[in-house]
Amino acid sequence: MFFTKNSFKSLSVRVLFVLGLALVSACTSPQIETGLNDPWEASNRRAHAFNKSVDKAFLRPGGNSVGRAIPDPLVTSVGNFADNLSSPGMVVNNLLQADAKGAFTNSVRFVVNTTIGVGGIFDIATMAGIYEVETDFGETLHVWGAAEGAYLELPLLGPSTERDTIGRVVDIFTNPLGYVLPKPEKYVGTAANVAKKLVDRGRYSQTVDSVLYDSADSYAQARSSYLQNRRYQLGGGGDALADPYDDPYGAGDPYDN
């Protein structure tokens, strides 16, 4: 087992604490954490070993096969389509962060790409200089003043933190498309997201392999890469690394509920 009954109970308490802290500290200036907080390293390492076995058995060969079989223009289209379907959820988070400019930009992108871009297959908005303001509920919690919490590696989902784990769960429910698309159309996004992850695994194969299979301690390397990149995304400064764990295990979808 990755987590014992007691560790799950402890995690649940801390998750509720992080969420409660976010709700009562909405006016607090967000802080970027430094250092390492990994009290569950033993269970995290077990989850990492499981994720690594899944990657070796399925994602690595699958990603390489898909990358070789699908032409680059189609690969780009799959990514564009999946990204476009996530835009409404990002607009919600922009609004929760009081980022009116980001919400407007992402809304325009969604309208332009959904219409002129044929459902998002073509990223016309970027061609026109309208760039995505990427965000998620983990960032929303950060803006509200919630602490990063302990580092976690989640089975199948990869590296995270307590704050970002809450964000992943909430993001399932914040995308309006999950409430307006009928079945089975609402699952098209899930399929596109899975395909995008496989394509990305093949596209960034050398980077991911260097961490998972070439480093002396793949767990420590993945943890360092994730935390450094996440903190950089949230405005912590420094140099961003090429993140080999850009959710390579993720098969979830923000509008699948």
Side-chain angles (χ1 to χ4, degrees):
M1 294 179 64
F2 302 117
F3 297 100
T4 65
K5 182 177 180 180
N6 287 337
S7 65
F8 265 122
K9 182 178 180 180
S10 176
L11 175 59
S12 299
V13 171
R14 296 192 65 166
V15 163
L16 291 174
F17 173 77
V18 171
L19 188 55
L21 176 63
L23 294 176
V24 301
S25 59
C27 296
T28 303
S29 298
Q31 301 293 322
I32 300 294
E33 286 81 352
T34 58
L36 179 63
N37 180 15
D38 190 3
W40 294 312
E41 182 172 347
S43 56
N44 282 337
R45 283 187 177 274
R46 289 193 291 271
H48 178 79
F50 171 74
N51 288 339
K52 193 171 177 179
S53 68
V54 171
D55 180 84
K56 185 174 183 179
F58 301 105
L59 297 179
R60 187 186 193 191
N64 290 334
S65 298
V66 169
R68 289 192 297 267
I70 300 179
D72 285 343
L74 183 56
V75 167
T76 300
S77 295
V78 169
N80 290 342
F81 181 71
D83 288 342
N84 188 57
L85 288 175
S86 69
S87 293
M90 284 191 279
V91 172
V92 171
N93 280 298
N94 291 139
L95 293 173
L96 291 174
Q97 297 164 24
D99 181 7
K101 182 178 179 181
F104 177 76
T105 299
N106 283 335
S107 296
V108 171
R109 280 182 54 84
F110 181 69
V111 171
V112 169
N113 286 340
T114 301
T115 54
I116 304 175
V118 193
I121 293 176
F122 303 103
D123 189 358
I124 304 299
T126 296
M127 296 178 189
I130 308 171
Y131 300 104
E132 180 179 82
V133 183
E134 186 175 358
T135 190
D136 51 50
F137 195 74
E139 182 172 2
T140 297
L141 289 173
H142 163 70
V143 171
W144 288 355
E148 180 181 83
Y151 174 78
L152 297 173
E153 176 147 351
L154 306 174
L156 297 179
L157 297 177
S160 186
T161 60
E162 289 178 318
R163 181 177 62 201
D164 286 340
T165 298
I166 296 172
R168 289 179 187 229
V169 174
V170 175
D171 276 330
I172 295 174
F173 304 100
T174 54
N175 195 315
L177 292 182
Y179 304 97
V180 298
L181 289 178
K183 296 180 180 179
E185 286 83 356
K186 68 185 302 181
Y187 300 120
V188 172
T190 302
N193 195 48
V194 171
K196 182 178 184 294
K197 299 305 179 185
L198 281 175
V199 167
D200 286 346
R201 179 59 179 90
R203 177 177 288 179
Y204 306 115
S205 180
Q206 287 187 336
T207 303
V208 179
D209 287 351
S210 69
V211 171
L212 289 183
Y213 307 109
D214 298 335
S215 58
D217 186 345
S218 60
Y219 171 76
Q221 181 63 38
R223 178 182 60 192
S224 175
S225 296
Y226 177 81
L227 291 175
Q228 183 169 342
N229 278 280
R230 186 55 170 166
R231 291 167 181 174
Y232 176 86
Q233 291 169 0
L234 297 179
D239 296 323
L241 300 173
D243 190 354
Y245 271 80
D246 186 14
D247 201 13
Y249 305 117
D253 195 79
Y255 40 87
D256 178 15
N257 62 81

